[in-house]
């Protein structure tokens, strides 16, 4: 070897986007004049320049070349120590090349870019934007994602809520926005919100978007229904006030003859056919005029058991009086048994009595049927959550649907899933130690569903309300 080399300094530090220099000294220890070519090698070679690129030295003389390192401010400039080398090739003896090595330490930097896709989402019951997060720094990014809005109009379901992104990579975070209150009638409203990226030791980085909440029914339909109801009520009142009274000529002739008759009572309004208790009055004792013996005892029928009133009987009665979409339901409560059926938003169950619901009985009208399943306590749970105890149970309109169990030692119900064939079903549930949960509705169409209650094993369902 006819060459001596030295790097000064052997290790250098540089910021991405900046530059630093090092010197390479070399001496021709041979006995002939030689020319040396310099070539950077290694991962940092693209950001390294050598000046001059060739150097001619006489025997016993020393020369210096300058190395300049300029890593870009990008994920390609990996933070930490990066080894580098310079290949020196003599012109007279190419096979005797040498490669001195050094170390370049690149400092870390963080740069995050985030964007909502799309920035504006629309919906009646929920919106589903995505947050695209790009790590433009040269170190791994660890952060958490949260949502907020002025007025607390929305709730947020974010998955995943914690992210780790390698340099130069990106991830998509799915978010589900749900309004805390449904706009039943009226025009749409804009709900500005923000998804914030929170890194350790820094302030949150918000990304703003807009959720456009649509009304469940348009304003013109509400006006139309109001006018229609007013006209219907006016028509009924006029009909009742001016309904002609019809009397038979035979009754008038009897009155003229001085014979007393019983006037027929006004016609009662139409009522739904409800099965009355199966009891009948005792037969009268025959009189002598009837040809019967005065000593014969009257025969009576023993009263039969009154049929149980279920959700189906309740919804049948309600639909007969008020045709249209209805839902009736009742709950089997620990220590009390079945509650009376209630309908259209009334409460079934108990509040403040620490009584768990074991089973639910549900029936609907004019919704093309309903389907549901119970989520119950799991004594063998390893994750602190319950489980579904049976597949979906589906019925048509006017038929009782049952989920859960009334057997001895049956597990407490924690929650349920439910849908209807046509339109949407809405629910709110009262959970032990948590109170009433917010109102939730499924998407119209029959293929969607809504969950109510809790997943937590130590809690239980105490009361429910349903509407369709």
């Amino acid at each position: 070897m006819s060459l001596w080399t030295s790097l000064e300094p052997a290790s250098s530090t540089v910021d991405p986007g900046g530059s630093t220099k090092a010197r390479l000294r070399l001496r021709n220890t041979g006995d002939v004049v030689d020319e040396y070519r310099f070539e950077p090698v290694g991962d940092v070679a693209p950001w390294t320049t050598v000046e001059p690129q060739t150097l001619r030295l006489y025997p016993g003389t020393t020369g210096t070349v300058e190395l300049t390192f300029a890593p870009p401010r990008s994920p390609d400039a990996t933070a930490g120590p990066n080894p580098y080398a310079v290949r020196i090739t003599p012109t007279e003896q190419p096979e005797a090349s040498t490669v001195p090595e050094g170390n370049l330490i690149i400092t870390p930097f963080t740069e995050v870019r985030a964007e909502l896709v799309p920035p504006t989402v629309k919906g009646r019951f929920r919106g589903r934007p995505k947050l695209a997060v790009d790590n433009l720094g040269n170190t791994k990014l660890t952060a958490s994602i949260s949502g907020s809005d002025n007025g607390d109009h929305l709730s947020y379901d974010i998955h995943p809520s914690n992210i780790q992104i390698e340099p130069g990579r990106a991830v998509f975070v799915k978010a589900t926005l749900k309004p805390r209150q449904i706009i039943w009638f009226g025009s749409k409203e804009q709900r500005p919100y923000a998804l914030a990226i929170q890194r350790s030791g820094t302030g949150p980085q918000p990304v703003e978007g807009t959720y456009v909440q649509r009304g469940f029914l348009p304003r013109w339909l509400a006006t139309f229904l109001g006018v229609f109801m007013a006209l219907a009520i006016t028509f009924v009142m006029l009909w009742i006030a001016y309904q002609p009274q019809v009397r038979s000529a035979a009754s008038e002739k009897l009155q003229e003859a001085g014979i007393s008759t019983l006037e027929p009572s006004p016609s009662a309004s139409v009522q739904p056919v409800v099965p009355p208790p199966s009891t009948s009055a005792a037969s009268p004792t025959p009189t002598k005029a009837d040809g019967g013996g005065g000593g014969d005892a009257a025969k009576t029928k023993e009263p039969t058991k009154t049929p149980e009133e279920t959700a189906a009987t309740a919804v049948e009665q309600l639909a007969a009086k008020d045709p249209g979409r209805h839902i009736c339901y009742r709950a089997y409560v620990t220590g009390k048994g079945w509650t009376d059926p209630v309908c259209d938003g009334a409460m079934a169950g108990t509040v403040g009595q620490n009584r768990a619901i074991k089973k639910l009985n549900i029936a609907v009208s004019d919704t093309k049927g309903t389907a549901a399943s119970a989520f119950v306590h799991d004594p063998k749970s390893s994750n602190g959550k319950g489980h579904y105890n049976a597949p979906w149970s589906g019925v048509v309109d006017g038929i009782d649907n049952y989920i859960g169990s009334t057997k001895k030692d049956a597990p407490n119900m924690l929650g349920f899933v439910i849908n209807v064939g046509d339109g949407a079903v809405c629910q709110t549930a009262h959970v032990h130690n948590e109170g009433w949960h917010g109102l939730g509705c499924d998407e119209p169409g029959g293929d969607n569903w809504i969950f109510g209650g809790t997943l937590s094993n130590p809690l239980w369902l105490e009361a429910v309300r349903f509407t369709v």
Side-chain angles (χ1 to χ4, degrees), residues 393-459:
S393 171
V395 298
V396 298
D397 286 344
I399 301 299
D400 284 309
N401 194 0
Y402 291 93
I403 57 173
S405 174
T406 59
K407 294 181 180 179
K408 184 179 180 181
D409 299 328
N412 295 339
M413 281 187 62
L414 308 182
F416 53 85
V417 286
I418 187 171
N419 68 2
V420 291
D422 184 24
V425 59
C426 299
Q427 60 76 33
T428 180
H430 190 282
V431 176
H432 177 65
N433 286 341
E434 291 188 352
W436 286 104
H437 286 195
L439 180 69
C441 305
D442 72 332
E443 291 283 0
D447 293 332
N448 301 293
W449 50 269
I450 187 68
F451 177 86
T454 178
L455 300 176
S456 180
N457 241 346
L459 304 179

Side-chain angles (χ1 to χ4, degrees), residues 43-104:
D43 292 338
V44 300
W47 319 317
T48 306
T49 57
V50 182
E51 290 292 339
Q53 295 183 351
T54 60
L55 187 63
R56 184 180 181 86
L57 293 178
Y58 288 93
T61 61
T62 301
T64 302
V65 296
E66 189 174 68
L67 307 179
T68 302
F69 306 100
R73 187 177 175 84
S74 74
D76 296 329
T78 306
N82 293 265
Y84 70 90
V86 178
R87 181 184 291 114
I88 305 174
T89 305
T91 303
E92 297 296 330
Q93 295 178 321
E95 70 282 357
S97 63
T98 183
V99 184
E101 297 180 351
N103 190 41
L104 180 66

Side-chain angles (χ1 to χ4, degrees), residues 17 30 39 49 79 91 102 116 162 172 210 212 241 257 276 288 294 310 320 338 378 388 394 400 410 429 442 461:
E39 179 186 5
T49 57
T91 303
L116 277 170
N162 295 285
F172 282 91
T210 303
V212 180
K288 292 182 180 181
T310 67
W338 284 109
D378 183 6
Y388 289 99
D400 284 309
D442 72 332
L461 193 64

Side-chain angles (χ1 to χ4, degrees), residues 270-343:
V270 177
Q271 297 292 331
V273 179
V274 181
S278 299
T279 59
S280 59
S283 302
T285 304
T287 63
K288 292 182 180 181
D290 296 329
D296 293 339
K299 297 181 180 180
T300 61
K301 295 181 180 179
E302 295 183 359
T304 60
K305 183 179 179 181
T306 303
E308 179 183 14
E309 185 176 4
T310 67
T313 58
V315 83
E316 181 182 1
Q317 296 176 32
L318 182 59
K321 291 189 294 184
D322 181 17
R325 296 164 53 82
H326 298 288
I327 182 169
C328 295
Y329 42 94
R330 58 178 182 150
Y332 189 91
V333 179
T334 302
K336 294 185 67 173
W338 284 109
T339 62
D340 293 333
V342 295
C343 304

